[in-house]
Amino acid sequence: MDATATSRDNPNIPADIAATLVNPAPYADHRIHDSYRWLRANNPRGIARPEKFDPFWVVTKHAHIQAVSRQNELFHNADRPTTPTLRTTH
């Protein structure tokens, strides 16, 4: 995991972690916890841009999740799917 990238410098989540978030295997074998641990410490609010998927925001700290949840007018999900979505090609 790229320890040089932080949310203050760049909101983009490192590619290896973004790929882990959309891969079911790390959830099954519990490797996903390492990725979320890194995100909470280094990039608690960031944009995941995994290959072949639409970009999506990842919010990992409880206080941030609560803040987002309370501001429906600002943070809404009706415009796009709420699950990782394969990028469509036109």
Side-chain angles (χ1 to χ4, degrees):
M1 295 176 200
D2 182 2
T4 61
T6 66
S7 59
R8 289 185 191 124
D9 301 330
N10 181 353
N12 292 314
I13 291 172
D16 60 328
I17 295 177
T20 300
L21 297 175
V22 295
N23 181 347
Y27 291 86
D29 63 20
H30 305 287
R31 287 180 292 138
I32 195 67
H33 298 294
D34 293 334
S35 294
Y36 281 114
R37 191 174 299 111
W38 187 93
L39 286 167
R40 280 190 300 277
N42 298 285
N43 198 343
R45 294 171 298 190
I47 302 170
R49 299 179 188 279
E51 190 175 317
K52 298 182 183 177
F53 286 84
D54 286 341
F56 58 92
W57 281 93
V58 178
V59 181
T60 60
K61 287 194 173 182
H62 185 257
H64 298 152
I65 293 168
Q66 285 185 316
V68 167
S69 298
R70 290 184 187 121
Q71 300 178 60
N72 293 328
E73 298 79 28
L74 182 59
F75 301 103
H76 46 91
N77 60 18
D79 301 346
R80 298 181 64 174
T82 57
T83 57
T85 305
L86 286 172
R87 194 174 302 135
T88 57
T89 56
H90 297 294

